[in-house]
């Protein structure tokens, strides 16, 4: 593993429903399996050159799903915070939830705030969960919050309840065999390297994460400049 550069990795954890349906199980079983996959990644995070890991848990458009699935997902997030909050604290991880908070159940918002505060003094990688998140909504909201003295990035931070700075994404992974961003981190992904994987999220593990990071290091990021070592022809 190349540790010379520490990365912001973002993951669209997609394919839970289809994973379950392929096993003749209810979709919620897929979300539970997805929670276990996420727990495994968090458990092994110290083995990776990652400073920030942003995970798409629930989009603003996911409210359109049937009530039972929506409720099941929020129950799962509630249990996840209860179980993995102490673990994040112990593993020296920092923690932040980005997204709207006014539509999330009060007991879950309390847990989010509690673990954000508890993990604040930690110095390790930052776990950011995107819940009731929409990049477009935050970009529009940032526009409303902007004052003449404020730069746009700061307005986005404010909108996202960001207690940490908005960092550009280096590498974005989407599982579930779809090649789209689905309203995730549109500003932060301006120069992200994108990896769309056919596998469903519950089948993803730190083994696949290591492989994607190796593939990332084979790409050349140019940020609009000429390839490294190439002399301009003029
Ligand atoms: C992603 O899995 C998890 C959430 C959106 C919460 P999906 O539930 O979208 O799974 P598929 O895409 O239907 O298989
Ligand atoms: C994106 O997946 C949201 C999350 C993974 C939380 P969706 O399954 O909601 O996205 P679309 O509908 O396929 O674009
Ligand atoms: Mg999906």
């Amino acid at each position: 593993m190349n540790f010379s550069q520490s990365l912001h990795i973002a993951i669209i954890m997609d394919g839970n429903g289809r994973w379950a349906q392929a096993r003749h199980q209810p979709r919620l079983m897929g979300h539970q399996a997805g929670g276990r996959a996420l727990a495994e990644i968090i458990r092994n995070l110290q083995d990776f050159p990652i400073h920030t890991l942003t995970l798409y848990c629930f989009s603003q458009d996911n409210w359109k799903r049937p009530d039972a699935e929506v409720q099941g997902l929020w129950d799962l997030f509630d249990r996840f915070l209860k179980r993995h909050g102490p673990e994040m604290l112990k593993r020296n991880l920092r923690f932040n939830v980005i997204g709207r908070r006014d539509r999330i159940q009060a007991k879950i918002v309390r847990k989010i705030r509690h673990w954000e505060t508890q993990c604040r003094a930690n110095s390790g990688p930052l776990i950011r969960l995107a819940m009731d998140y929409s990049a477009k909504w935050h970009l529009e909201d940032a526009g409303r919050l902007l004052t003449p003295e404020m730069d746009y990035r700061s307005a986005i931070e404010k909108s996202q309840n960001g207690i940490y700075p908005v960092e550009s994404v280096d590498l974005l992974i989407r599982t579930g065999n779809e090649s789209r961003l689905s309203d995730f981190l549109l500003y932060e992904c301006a120069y992200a390297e994108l990896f769309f994987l056919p596998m469903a999220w519950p089948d993803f593990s730190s083994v696949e994460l290591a492989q994607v990071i190796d593939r990332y290091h084979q790409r050349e990021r140019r940020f609009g400049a000429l390839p490294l070592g190439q002399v301009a022809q003029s």
Side-chain angles (χ1 to χ4, degrees), residues 23-37:
R23 286 158 183 77
H24 308 287
Q25 303 274 358
R27 293 177 57 85
L28 267 175
M29 292 287 289
H31 296 312
Q32 280 164 11
R36 290 194 291 275

Side-chain angles (χ1 to χ4, degrees), residues 20-79:
Q21 279 160 345
R23 286 158 183 77
H24 308 287
Q25 303 274 358
R27 293 177 57 85
L28 267 175
M29 292 287 289
H31 296 312
Q32 280 164 11
R36 290 194 291 275
L38 176 56
E40 191 268 343
I41 297 290
I42 292 177
R43 204 157 51 239
N44 293 299
L45 201 60
Q46 74 279 0
D47 298 342
F48 294 97
I50 294 175
H51 65 76
T52 305
L53 182 64
T54 306
L55 301 140
Y56 208 1
C57 298
F58 193 90
S59 75
Q60 292 192 4
D61 287 320
N62 288 148
W63 293 108
K64 295 174 191 162
R65 296 188 181 199
D67 288 350
E69 180 168 352
V70 168
Q71 190 53 50
L73 276 164
W74 287 104
D75 288 346
L76 199 64
F77 299 146
D78 192 23
R79 287 202 299 277

Side-chain angles (χ1 to χ4, degrees), residues 55 89 118 140 158 182 194 202:
L55 301 140
L89 182 64
Q118 290 287 310
E140 285 160 10
K158 203 169 169 194
S182 300
L194 311 178

Side-chain angles (χ1 to χ4, degrees), residues 192-203:
E193 294 292 334
L194 311 178
F195 290 82
F196 297 107
L197 308 184
M199 69 188 341
W201 173 250
D203 292 328

